[in-house]
Amino acid sequence: MPLLGGIRPPIAVLCVLVLALAALTAKVLGPSGDTVAPKAVLSSQKYFAEDGAIAMRASIDERVTDLDRTARALSAGKPVKAERILEDLGRTYQKWTGTTVLDLESGDILAARGESIPLGWLDEDVLKGDRALSPRMVRLETGDVRLMLMAVLDWKDRPQQLLIASSGLSVPAINLGPFRTMAVAAEDGEILATAGFERAEALNSNQERRELAFLQKQMTQLSDEAASRAEQHPVKAKEPGSRGYPGVSGTLVGGEYNGRTALAGYASLASSNPEEKKSVAAGLGLTVVALLPVVQQHSGEQGRGLYGLAVSGVLVLLGLLAVTVLWTTVQRPLLRLFLESRRLARGDLTRPVTMERGGEAARVSAALERLRRQLAGLGDGAPGTAPGSGGKGGRRGLMARFGGLASLILTAVLLLLWCVPVGLLLNRTDGSVSVPTTMVNDQRDRTDLVADRVRRALNEAHADLVSTSRLIGKEQNAADRLLPETLKKHTRYQALYLVDAEGRVGARAGGDPHSWTQDEKLPWVRISGEGGKKPVIQAGTPVPGEKGSTLVGEIRVEFLNSLLMPRGLGEVRVVDSESRTIAANDGFLAFEELPRQSLTDLTRAAGVRVGAGPLENGLLLREGGGVTVAAAAPFSGGGITADIGWTVVSWQNAERFQIAPYEREDRSVLAGLLGLAAIIICLGWILLVVVRPLRALATSAEKLADGDLKTVLYPRYQDEVGAVVRSLELLRQQAQAHRHNQARRPADARPGVGGR
């Protein structure tokens, strides 16, 4: 018989699938294999490192943009003294450790402020070539590393001047939470900056000092390994089809000390969208490493192996029963029919046909017996009188009425007795699932990081407005030129315009302006637009030298939404002091309330001042049989937006976490679905290849036994059913010849009688 035809292949495939599924079930429903920490904790460290890398990349790129924009704006106006340039720069941006203006023609230092900047690193390669004026990392005599940024001041009929600003290459100023440390590593793995480590002299015991030395050693080793891995191409470093962070990121497992294991996440600095805009910071070859020591978990899963074996054993038992049903009710009767039909086709008519018990096989065997009797000249039994034939006069049981379909239904029921309980009832979780405390802490700390990022972005937007307003105040009719330039360079704005003391709009660029109220009691960053489709976020600053005039910039809501996209944080929203939504990483309605009262209460509790100010907060909410990890972080820190009362709220269902209870539930559902797929594939195969053709064969055999000798039987399948059809066709031809011979005998006898 052909390899893919007949009854044997689908039954064999069913056996293989059942055994494979049983082996898979024993493995996936056994111990989780997370001997160090749950996968969710490892992934959380990677996300934390990605957040740090994003914050650092944005900070460096923003500094480059600020310095370049300031130089361009100054070069477009009248010449300014070097001391005045550095004074205005320091007043506008408090981010430089030192600034210097250098005359490129003579090499003289025209002005300097803050930390002294060494100039030994300046050479021809820095000022010319493909990487001219690109940021450089320079090590000072003290051993500290500084990031040097440069921009050229170019006025007509005057020598060019080089504006140099040095910035500390430090770990992003984010909330690391308890016990976590972070480092910035260079391409060669050298650690350039760290944060979160305690000072050895501040510790009280030798045990704490030894643990600190262990963590520092682990940070050195893991940073070197992370820098080595970060050299990969971002596309090659990811699994095929995966998306997410544009750079190289991952997790590392370090050594163990005093029952705690060092886990680290790393992420290289990468452009936010490499296809559209190149990042200066991404070209520095820096890698951010976040390290967290976690207590080794001692899960009580010693009996999980036996549990998985028991579940898989039940599947094997039910699978054997199902295969036995198919073998006894479909395969064996069909093979007997094949042998009986072939025997009759060869002319062996002496022995009666073995009768099958029910179904299509009984109908075919009864028809074969009638054909045997007809060919042997023993007469013809009445239709339907053969036992189990399924004729009109016989009783029909389940097998007689449905035939092979009943066998398939019984087989499916046997297998579903395993698939349904495993997929729907086994390892189900509820609101009592234990979630690692690390996940709640990380949700809180990362939410605080997002809040800090949004606050800094608004502060930067206001600082840009302050810088632009000072340039406007120095020149006549400068607004018509500066506003379109600023709008083009900064995609965060949707409109820029000047408003006088009476609220009238003067020069403008971008979209339609909204009203701005000149009130000293109102904050310089405010929100309006209630009743509209989008909130209107405005930032304003007075224009020096023009009394009552204000430069207003409207910040796009989409810009804020783009800051709320960190991976693994769930749904994130920015709400105002009344807990109304301003921005979100998912769709939202302007000024809508939070979806749960518990989230509103969490937001209000986080906004309560404790000591110096409001604090971030994280909770594990158990509501309606589900578990949700939520956090709220109000705006805090410095800048113009520190006291506007906005809060970042995040929450996600704990089912997204890769922890043992949810993984076992998912694996159980997967096992049930795989079993269901095996049922559909194999039993559907048998239905199409065997049962339906066998039912058509039974009908044709009964018609042939009833005397229909004109219909030619063509085998459509090269299998057992096709072989029986070929035998029936031979029997039809024999019956046709037998009838023809019987009709000729009386005709041949008449001439002899008449001649006597």
Side-chain angles (χ1 to χ4, degrees):
M1 295 300 166
L3 181 62
L4 297 181
I7 186 61
R8 294 185 181 92
I11 294 180
V13 170
L14 180 61
C15 293
V16 172
L17 291 179
V18 167
L19 293 177
L21 182 57
L24 181 65
T25 301
K27 181 175 179 58
V28 300
L29 295 187
S32 62
D34 297 336
T35 57
V36 178
K39 295 178 182 178
V41 177
L42 286 169
S43 299
S44 183
Q45 307 319 306
K46 179 179 67 173
Y47 296 149
F48 215 102
E50 291 175 357
D51 292 343
I54 292 172
M56 189 170 189
R57 187 264 307 163
S59 176
I60 293 176
D61 286 347
E62 190 68 35
R63 294 175 189 182
V64 173
T65 302
D66 292 340
L67 194 68
D68 183 68
R69 184 177 56 81
T70 300
R72 289 176 181 271
L74 290 172
S75 300
K78 295 179 180 180
V80 182
K81 291 183 178 182
E83 292 82 359
R84 180 64 182 275
I85 293 174
L86 299 185
E87 181 182 354
D88 290 345
L89 191 65
R91 187 185 306 117
T92 305
Y93 302 105
Q94 293 82 29
K95 60 180 65 173
W96 316 113
T97 58
T99 52
T100 298
V101 177
L102 181 69
D103 191 318
L104 288 177
E105 183 176 341
S106 63
D108 296 335
I109 296 178
L110 303 179
R113 292 176 66 93
E115 183 181 64
S116 177
I117 298 179
L119 302 178
W121 54 275
L122 280 173
D123 54 21
E124 187 175 354
D125 293 336
V126 175
L127 302 176
K128 298 180 181 179
D130 297 336
R131 299 185 68 248
L133 302 179
S134 60
R136 297 290 197 279
M137 289 186 293
V138 177
R139 187 175 296 276
L140 305 181
E141 295 180 356
T142 59
D144 296 332
V145 177
R146 293 289 183 266
L147 179 65
M148 300 296 177
L149 308 178
M150 295 159 285
V152 174
L153 301 174
D154 190 8
W155 288 292
K156 188 177 181 181
D157 300 330
R158 295 191 64 175
Q160 289 184 331
Q161 299 176 4
L162 183 64
L163 175 60
I164 306 174
S166 69
S167 175
L169 196 61
S170 59
V171 173
I174 61 178
N175 184 5
L176 298 178
F179 311 116
R180 181 180 282 105
T181 55
M182 186 172 284
V184 179
E187 289 180 321
D188 58 358
E190 179 187 4
I191 296 179
L192 304 178
T194 60
F197 286 111
E198 298 185 54
R199 294 184 177 272
E201 57 270 18
L203 300 177
N204 299 323
S205 65
N206 292 331
Q207 176 67 27
E208 293 178 344
R209 295 187 184 94
R210 285 193 294 268
E211 186 169 354
L212 175 61
F214 163 76
L215 293 177
Q216 291 174 338
K217 182 179 179 180
Q218 289 297 307
M219 178 63 83
T220 301
Q221 295 176 353
L222 295 176
S223 296
D224 183 68
E225 185 177 353
S228 177
R229 294 192 179 188
E231 294 179 358
Q232 305 176 76
H233 192 278
V235 176
K236 295 181 180 179
K238 293 181 174 63
E239 296 181 0
S242 63
R243 303 177 62 185
Y245 186 69
V248 179
S249 63
T251 58
L252 298 170
V253 178
E256 182 269 336
Y257 178 78
N258 198 21
R260 296 202 296 173
T261 303
L263 304 182
Y266 65 90
S268 63
L269 270 62
S271 302
S272 57
N273 192 342
E275 296 180 355
E276 294 183 2
K277 182 181 179 182
K278 297 248 180 176
S279 170
V280 174
L284 297 176
L286 302 177
T287 303
V288 174
V289 182
L291 185 145
L292 179 70
V294 298
V295 178
Q296 291 185 355
Q297 63 175 12
H298 299 283
S299 58
E301 296 190 347
Q302 289 79 6
R304 298 297 305 180
L306 295 177
Y307 178 79
L309 289 175
V311 176
S312 61
V314 173
L315 173 60
V316 172
L317 178 61
L318 293 175
L320 290 176
L321 291 176
V323 171
T324 302
V325 169
L326 293 177
W327 183 76
T328 55
T329 61
V330 180
Q331 177 175 329
R332 191 170 63 174
L334 181 57
L335 293 178
R336 281 202 296 258
L337 288 178
F338 164 68
L339 296 175
E340 293 289 348
S341 63
R342 189 174 62 175
R343 177 175 64 84
L344 296 181
R346 289 201 304 261
D348 183 2
L349 305 177
T350 58
R351 181 161 49 89
V353 175
T354 302
M355 290 297 173
E356 302 298 335
R357 294 184 179 181
E360 293 84 359
R363 294 168 57 190
V364 175
S365 62
L368 288 175
E369 174 61 18
R370 292 173 60 195
L371 287 171
R372 185 192 70 83
R373 296 177 63 83
Q374 293 174 11
L375 293 173
L378 301 177
D380 183 18
T385 58
S389 64
K392 296 180 182 180
R395 291 187 175 182
R396 295 188 178 186
L398 181 64
M399 293 296 297
R401 183 169 302 179
F402 295 101
L405 186 60
S407 302
L408 297 184
I409 293 175
L410 180 58
T411 303
V413 169
L414 288 173
L415 295 177
L416 287 175
L417 288 177
W418 184 87
C419 297
V420 173
V422 169
L424 300 181
L425 303 177
L426 197 65
N427 293 325
R428 305 307 294 178
T429 58
D430 53 21
S432 62
V433 173
S434 177
V435 178
T437 306
T438 304
M439 302 306 301
V440 182
N441 294 337
D442 288 353
Q443 185 83 12
R444 177 197 63 211
D445 296 337
R446 296 186 65 208
T447 302
D448 181 65
L449 172 60
V450 174
D452 183 75
R453 186 185 305 167
V454 176
R455 179 186 62 82
R456 288 176 181 272
L458 294 176
N459 286 342
E460 290 288 348
H462 184 263
D464 291 336
L465 293 177
V466 172
S467 178
T468 305
S469 67
R470 289 175 179 171
L471 296 175
I472 292 175
K474 293 178 181 179
E475 301 181 36
Q476 293 292 333
N477 301 323
D480 294 332
R481 174 180 58 85
L482 290 175
L483 293 185
E485 291 181 358
T486 304
L487 185 66
K488 183 178 180 181
K489 294 176 183 176
H490 297 282
T491 57
R492 62 168 63 101
Y493 302 113
Q494 66 182 9
L496 291 170
Y497 45 91
L498 289 175
V499 180
D500 60 16
E502 298 180 359
R504 294 190 297 264
V505 177
R508 49 173 288 195
D512 296 333
H514 292 78
S515 62
W516 174 270
T517 304
Q518 300 283 13
D519 191 344
E520 296 181 356
K521 297 181 180 180
L522 295 176
W524 286 110
V525 176
R526 62 186 70 165
I527 186 170
S528 60
E530 295 187 37
K533 295 182 179 180
K534 289 184 179 181
V536 179
I537 305 170
Q538 297 173 304
T541 184
V543 178
E546 297 185 17
K547 187 177 181 180
S549 181
T550 304
L551 174 61
V552 180
E554 293 186 5
I555 301 173
R556 296 187 304 112
V557 177
E558 293 79 8
F559 169 72
L560 291 186
N561 293 342
S562 67
L563 301 177
L564 308 177
M565 297 293 181
R567 294 200 299 159
L569 202 55
E571 190 166 351
V572 186
R573 293 192 182 188
V574 179
V575 298
D576 60 9
S577 57
E578 300 179 7
S579 300
R580 300 178 303 175
T581 303
I582 300 172
N585 63 348
D586 201 355
F588 72 99
L589 299 175
F591 300 101
E592 70 173 336
E593 301 290 337
L594 291 171
R596 301 184 192 176
Q597 182 61 39
S598 57
L599 296 175
T600 303
D601 296 338
L602 176 62
T603 303
R604 292 173 180 172
V608 176
R609 289 189 170 270
V610 178
L615 299 174
E616 71 281 356
N617 195 7
L619 288 178
L620 193 64
L621 305 177
R622 302 183 186 272
E623 299 175 334
V627 182
T628 302
V629 178
F635 281 16
S636 60
I640 197 70
T641 60
D643 299 324
I644 61 176
W646 292 7
T647 304
V648 174
V649 188
S650 70
W651 67 94
Q652 61 178 323
N653 196 322
E655 290 182 355
R656 299 182 180 181
F657 295 157
Q658 292 177 300
I659 57 179
Y662 293 118
E663 286 188 331
R664 283 198 292 266
E665 180 180 11
D666 294 340
R667 291 169 181 173
S668 298
V669 174
L670 178 60
L673 291 177
L674 290 177
L676 182 61
I679 294 172
I680 295 175
I681 292 173
C682 295
L683 300 189
W685 187 355
I686 296 174
L687 175 65
L688 296 177
V689 174
V690 177
V691 174
R692 290 179 61 181
L694 185 60
R695 180 165 294 184
L697 170 62
T699 302
S700 300
E702 289 176 344
K703 290 182 179 180
L704 178 60
D706 290 339
D708 183 8
L709 303 179
K710 294 183 179 180
T711 303
V712 180
L713 302 178
Y714 296 99
R716 298 178 58 187
Y717 303 97
Q718 301 298 320
D719 54 9
E720 294 91 344
V721 176
V724 176
V725 172
R726 287 193 295 271
S727 298
L728 283 177
E729 172 60 20
L730 293 176
L731 292 175
R732 184 192 69 82
Q733 295 175 8
Q734 294 177 15
Q736 197 174 36
H738 180 72
R739 179 180 294 182
H740 181 69
N741 291 335
Q742 286 182 341
R744 289 183 58 186
R745 287 174 184 172
D748 293 340
R750 286 176 189 167
V753 175
R756 288 181 180 178

